[in-house]
Amino acid sequence: MKTHDFYYDLPPELIAQTPLERRDASRLLVLDRETGARTHRQFHDLPRLLRPGDCLIMNDSRVLPARLLGSRVRPDGTLGGACEILLLIDRGENTWECLVRPGKKLRPGARVSFGGELTAEIVGEAEGGNRLVRFTYEGIFLEVLERLGRMPLPPYIKAELQDRERYQTVYARVSGSAAAPTAGLHFTRELMEQVRAMGVEIGYVTLHVGLGTFRPVKEEEVEGHDMHSEYCVLPQETADLINRTKASGGRVICVGTTSCRTVESWAGEDGRMEARAGWTNIFIYPGYRFKVLDGLITNFHLPESTLIMLVSALAGREQVLAAYEEAVRERYRFFSFGDAMMIC
């Protein structure tokens, strides 16, 4: 299977740069994965597409304001040139694996100051050229980050985000992601209440999204791609909800590819779920047999990405690409702040 098989042509002006004023005002393309039929709705129509007895599984990870802008510290203690550190993975003992810029200036031993309240030292190198950075600060690190950090928006978003809560889902609660689980950005609290009122239960998983989600597939053959790892948690109450839903004939509908990957990572071969936590590098592409998932709410993904491959595994490559081509013709908004798609 070739990576180029998942290419589609996207005019740059369709890449959404800012969120809509109201989250659930986005458009929703509904794809029937059995017939390939497509319909066009608004996201606030979602309750009409669900059935009592279904469940929605959402990723409650919260995006860290993980982009830190500082200055290099010279050996004499004076400040030098500007630099940037982007937190990726908490390695413990105040040490994080990070992306740094400029890489040539931030080798082991280099020190960085972020306005005096936070300082850092490069203490090692990690796989792929990332750096291990040890931070020094007073108080609670997450509170320091909230004051000093900026949102790590995807590279295709050039506009400045005015309200950084718009890059968080309304149900985000467990800090740790370097990027938002964007399918959930369309939900409002009112819409979630409507869904619950009609007899659809909501369960939560946690998958901390890494920047590997934006890493392009460089291998010519899909099977040769080395999938990145991300930490995820499936609580017992969510496992019980999924098992109960399946037993009663309801559908398990994941909100986002991250929820899908978490559920499918920890599902038994018979589809039974038990509480689990750990790292997953599951790579879902056509030919994969889903153990639990019945439907998916997702955004529109980059050409030739692992995410469009996952969606194609659920609905078929030809049907997905046809739906994407129709979305382009209909001038849908694409990617993180764009419109949504429901496959069921």
Side-chain angles (χ1 to χ4, degrees):
M1 190 179 306
K2 304 291 187 183
T3 298
H4 192 68
D5 292 339
F6 298 90
Y7 177 81
Y8 67 94
D9 190 37
L10 178 67
E13 66 269 18
L14 296 186
I15 300 174
Q17 294 296 309
T18 56
L20 296 177
E21 183 176 349
R22 183 168 175 82
R23 291 174 182 262
D24 62 0
S26 54
R27 299 166 76 184
L28 179 66
L29 192 156
V30 183
L31 174 63
D32 186 317
R33 64 189 180 110
E34 299 299 329
T35 68
R38 300 183 292 271
T39 55
H40 301 279
R41 311 290 289 262
Q42 300 296 127
F43 199 85
H44 54 68
D45 294 331
L46 182 64
R48 302 178 190 177
L49 303 170
L50 301 173
R51 308 169 193 154
D54 289 344
C55 73
L56 294 178
I57 304 300
M58 299 176 164
N59 180 7
D60 65 4
S61 182
R62 185 172 176 83
V63 185
L64 289 168
R67 185 170 169 242
L68 292 165
L69 305 180
S71 301
R72 289 181 284 114
V73 180
R74 299 188 182 100
D76 64 3
T78 61
L79 297 182
C83 61
E84 179 177 334
I85 291 180
L86 182 62
L87 307 179
L88 297 178
I89 302 171
D90 185 355
R91 296 302 188 188
E93 298 181 348
N94 297 329
T95 300
W96 286 71
E97 183 174 334
C98 303
L99 286 174
V100 301
R101 195 165 56 178
K104 291 183 179 179
K105 299 288 188 179
L106 296 177
R107 300 290 187 186
R111 293 182 299 138
V112 179
S113 174
F114 305 96
E117 185 177 359
L118 178 68
T119 59
E121 180 182 356
I122 313 300
V123 295
E125 295 194 10
E127 185 177 354
N130 294 342
R131 302 291 193 268
L132 297 177
V133 182
R134 182 181 298 129
F135 291 94
T136 302
Y137 53 91
E138 295 289 337
I140 299 172
F141 187 58
L142 289 180
E143 292 181 356
V144 174
L145 271 187
E146 288 292 337
R147 289 192 293 273
L148 299 181
R150 300 187 182 188
M151 278 297 177
L153 294 177
Y156 47 74
I157 294 179
K158 309 302 181 185
E160 192 71 28
L161 184 62
Q162 299 303 312
D163 177 7
R164 65 185 188 183
E165 280 301 306
R166 291 306 308 271
Y167 196 55
Q168 305 279 15
T169 63
V170 297
Y171 49 83
R173 55 188 176 184
V174 185
S175 292
S177 278
T182 55
L185 296 179
H186 306 280
F187 282 86
T188 64
R189 292 184 177 87
E190 294 79 8
L191 184 59
M192 293 172 69
E193 286 305 313
Q194 288 180 40
V195 165
R196 290 190 182 98
M198 64 174 291
V200 174
E201 293 191 71
I202 296 176
Y204 297 97
V205 297
T206 303
L207 182 143
H208 292 315
V209 186
L211 290 184
T213 192
F214 301 115
R215 185 160 60 93
V217 178
K218 296 182 178 179
E219 301 291 337
E220 183 178 348
E221 302 285 339
V222 168
E223 295 84 352
H225 178 66
D226 183 21
M227 191 69 176
H228 61 285
S229 294
E230 293 167 313
Y231 187 78
C232 60
V233 179
L234 177 80
Q236 187 62 54
E237 61 184 329
T238 303
D240 292 342
L241 170 60
I242 292 171
N243 291 336
R244 189 167 65 246
T245 300
K246 300 294 277 191
S248 62
R251 297 176 300 173
V252 175
I253 299 172
C254 286
V255 176
T257 57
T258 58
S259 299
C260 166
R261 293 181 68 235
T262 302
V263 167
E264 292 292 322
S265 291
W266 303 140
E269 286 301 317
D270 60 355
R272 290 284 298 175
M273 305 296 303
E274 294 182 2
R276 290 281 301 274
W279 293 87
T280 181
N281 64 350
I282 189 171
F283 184 14
I284 298 176
Y285 55 87
Y288 178 83
R289 182 182 66 84
F290 287 89
K291 305 179 186 73
V292 173
L293 188 75
D294 297 303
L296 180 68
I297 297 170
T298 186
N299 278 19
F300 292 92
H301 303 295
L302 278 72
E304 300 183 340
S305 64
T306 60
L307 303 181
I308 195 172
M309 293 173 189
L310 183 155
V311 173
S312 297
L314 180 62
R317 184 184 70 89
E318 294 81 5
Q319 291 187 164
V320 166
L321 289 179
Y324 272 54
E325 289 168 4
E326 183 167 324
V328 169
R329 289 194 301 272
E330 295 292 329
R331 310 296 288 177
Y332 273 64
R333 303 166 79 245
F334 278 67
F335 305 162
S336 295
F337 286 140
D339 295 313
M341 184 177 187
M342 180 175 182
I343 301 172
C344 54

